Amino acid sequence: MSELVERLSKGLPDGAVAVDPDVTGAYARDMAGFCEAGEPAVLVFPETVEQVQHVMRTATELRVPVVPQGARTGLSGGANAVDGCILLSLTRMNRILHLDPVDRIAIVQPGVVNAELSRAAEAQQLAYPPDPSSWESCTIGGNIGTGAGGLCCVKYGVTSEYVLGLDVVLADGRLLRTGRRTAKGVAGYDLTRLLVGSEGTLGVVVEAVLALRPAPGPQLVLAAEFDSVDAAGRAVCDVMAAGFTPSLMELMDATTVRAVNEMTQMGLPGSTRALLLVAFDGPDQRELLAAVGALCTAAGATEVVPAEDRAESELLLQARRLALPALERMGTTMIDDVAVPRSALAAMLNGVAEIAERHGLTIGVVSHAGDGNTHPVVIFDAKDPEQVERARISFDEIMALGLELGGTVTGEHGIGLLKREWLARELGSVGLELQRQIKAVFDPLGLLNPGKMI
């Protein structure tokens, strides 16, 4: 270890290498539950591309595993340390290098916080649409690593749709440039898309070219209450089938609504079994909300409340923003991430309710209903081994349910350690073999984030 630290220190600035176990231990894991973390050998904070290359060359020469990290807000264990590894924190590479309103691109380092990029784009009347819930703290590099999504994906899509090009340091220290800075480009294999969502297993992103969009106007929101999940599911399908493209469409089940009520005293009716929030950010907002409200009523909504202005919209959205904090007050939480076809959304929520009842657990579900991405939140007592085991079993049953309904085991949180087994089931033997072969091409020694994904 002394040789490793000495060699790393030669190519890094003062204060960029940490070996104190209290410091390295504080960086050893992300926010995922049920995921083990090893003991890292050293933590490094490079500030330039050349310094990242130095770290990777040193790691390759000494055969030391490397775990790239951003803000560690992930929920799958993808940033967790493995024993004896180099933790490669990219948080000090946090500059917006270029923002171009003509070409509508931003060139950024991986440590740029999502919200900071959004605010910089807004100052140019532009927007960077991907908006994970942790947008005030998560980094662009982490968003790219997991293929992050957010509340506005129903209209604007996920991170992969905004990454035009990448600079990536490979395991042996070589620098790879993928993609383009132009609006169009189809030259060669799409390595950029391959790297987005690869969770640091193929290379270390050190720079990204991101597409920007014209800034949308403020959202106007509608809330619809339902006395059954089936009715709410019908409303979601009817809205999408009618050709509407809301900027946001979120659904909360009865457990979540109750938790938010208890935390905030918002006064939502106790009979509400599902709360649907729909927003539009373009022209004709009131007309569009009125049309969506009529569809919700026809589907069985017990009450439809359109906001009158931006302030009321923010009040309605507050219920969704507080969903996870409200559920976390009820005990230890394990946040799941299963995406299903929109047409299967009601079946997914009903199935999760059955799983909760069967195992005697509380499971709340919030979902990006517009794209079928559900977040079942299993609540349990971490000090009770029997409850912990039931929580693990319920997690597996939720995964299986998602696949049975034609879905995927993750829509935006990634695989990491948490879902390796389930990724193998989703891909099948041929798909898994090809993924491992791709990994071997980029990282023949298996040093980059070993044990994650595949």
Side-chain angles (χ1 to χ4, degrees):
M1 178 171 151
S2 59
E3 181 185 2
L4 171 63
V5 173
E6 181 180 347
R7 291 183 60 174
L8 287 171
S9 298
K10 288 181 179 178
L12 293 169
D14 291 342
V17 179
V19 294
D20 184 332
D22 290 337
V23 177
T24 60
Y27 282 77
R29 61 173 64 247
D30 62 18
M31 298 180 69
F34 290 123
C35 291
E36 297 296 326
E39 295 185 6
V42 60
L43 167 67
V44 298
F45 296 94
E47 298 175 7
T48 67
V49 173
E50 292 76 18
Q51 290 170 13
V52 175
Q53 290 180 285
H54 166 70
V55 171
M56 293 312 307
R57 290 187 186 113
T58 301
T60 294
E61 290 168 8
L62 298 180
R63 302 299 194 264
V64 178
V66 177
V67 177
Q69 294 184 332
R72 295 176 292 109
T73 58
L75 294 166
S76 67
N80 283 15
V82 298
D83 286 337
C85 75
I86 300 169
L87 289 179
L88 176 58
S89 175
L90 299 158
T91 53
R92 293 185 186 177
M93 297 180 67
N94 57 6
R95 294 167 54 216
I96 298 173
L97 302 173
H98 181 62
L99 201 153
D100 191 326
V102 174
D103 289 326
R104 293 180 181 173
I105 61 170
I107 302 174
V108 305
Q109 293 181 316
V112 171
V113 172
N114 184 294
E116 292 176 358
L117 174 59
S118 295
R119 285 190 278 268
E122 185 178 12
Q124 298 285 338
Q125 289 77 54
L126 295 169
Y128 178 67
D131 60 341
S133 295
S134 57
W135 76 300
E136 288 283 4
S137 55
C138 65
T139 61
I140 294 298
N143 295 169
I144 292 170
T146 59
L151 300 185
C152 295
C153 293
V154 58
K155 180 174 182 178
Y156 293 106
V158 295
T159 297
S160 61
E161 296 169 62
Y162 293 87
V163 182
L164 300 177
L166 295 169
D167 281 7
V168 179
V169 175
L170 300 177
D172 59 8
R174 288 179 296 164
L175 182 63
L176 168 70
R177 173 163 288 180
T178 75
R180 63 194 195 277
R181 299 188 182 196
T182 55
K184 295 169 62 178
V186 293
Y189 295 125
D190 194 346
L191 297 182
T192 304
R193 281 278 184 139
L194 176 63
L195 287 158
V196 176
S198 64
E199 301 185 33
T201 62
L202 302 181
V204 181
V205 173
V206 291
E207 190 175 297
V209 182
L210 306 174
L212 303 176
R213 298 287 183 263
Q219 296 186 108
L220 203 60
V221 181
L222 170 148
E225 299 170 9
F226 296 85
D227 59 10
S228 76
V229 167
D230 291 317
R234 281 196 302 273
V236 170
C237 293
D238 291 347
V239 169
M240 300 308 293
F244 293 105
T245 306
S247 57
L248 173 148
M249 182 181 277
E250 298 289 302
L251 184 63
M252 300 159 58
D253 74 346
T255 298
T256 308
V257 171
R258 184 171 62 252
V260 171
N261 252 345
E262 291 173 357
M263 177 180 175
T264 66
Q265 305 300 314
M266 281 188 174
L268 297 170
S271 60
T272 299
R273 309 306 298 169
L275 179 67
L276 182 66
L277 300 172
V278 183
F280 290 93
D281 62 5
D284 305 319
Q285 292 171 312
R286 296 186 189 281
E287 292 82 357
L288 291 169
L289 285 185
V292 166
L295 290 173
C296 289
T297 299
T302 56
E303 187 171 2
V304 175
V305 181
E308 289 296 324
D309 52 31
R310 187 173 183 178
E312 285 191 13
S313 293
E314 285 300 313
L315 285 174
L316 291 175
L317 287 177
Q318 189 74 352
R320 172 60 181 88
R321 293 195 181 107
L322 292 175
L324 291 181
L327 291 169
E328 287 170 348
R329 294 172 72 244
M330 301 172 68
T332 301
T333 58
M334 183 178 185
I335 303 174
D336 218 328
D337 167 39
V338 182
V340 296
R342 297 184 191 100
S343 56
L345 188 60
M348 183 68 192
L349 268 65
N350 284 327
V352 170
E354 292 171 4
I355 292 169
E357 183 176 0
R358 185 163 59 251
H359 294 291
L361 293 169
T362 298
I363 305 178
V365 183
V366 291
S367 65
H368 308 313
D371 54 29
N373 195 175
T374 69
H375 296 298
V377 182
V378 183
I379 301 165
F380 60 99
D381 182 354
K383 296 179 181 178
D384 183 339
E386 194 267 340
Q387 274 200 41
V388 171
E389 181 59 23
R390 281 189 278 137
R392 289 181 184 273
I393 293 171
S394 70
F395 175 86
D396 285 343
E397 291 186 5
I398 291 169
M399 293 287 100
L401 174 64
L403 292 180
E404 289 168 10
L405 293 173
T408 176
V409 298
T410 179
E412 57 189 8
H413 290 174
I415 298 298
L417 290 170
L418 192 62
K419 299 182 179 179
R420 286 185 62 201
E421 175 190 347
W422 288 100
L423 177 66
R425 296 190 192 190
E426 180 173 332
L427 293 177
S429 59
V430 175
L432 186 61
E433 179 185 357
L434 286 172
Q435 298 244 346
R436 286 173 172 163
Q437 289 174 356
I438 291 169
K439 163 74 169 170
V441 170
F442 279 81
D443 181 22
L445 297 177
L447 299 179
L448 278 167
N449 219 4
K452 313 296 173 56
M453 289 188 64
I454 57 174

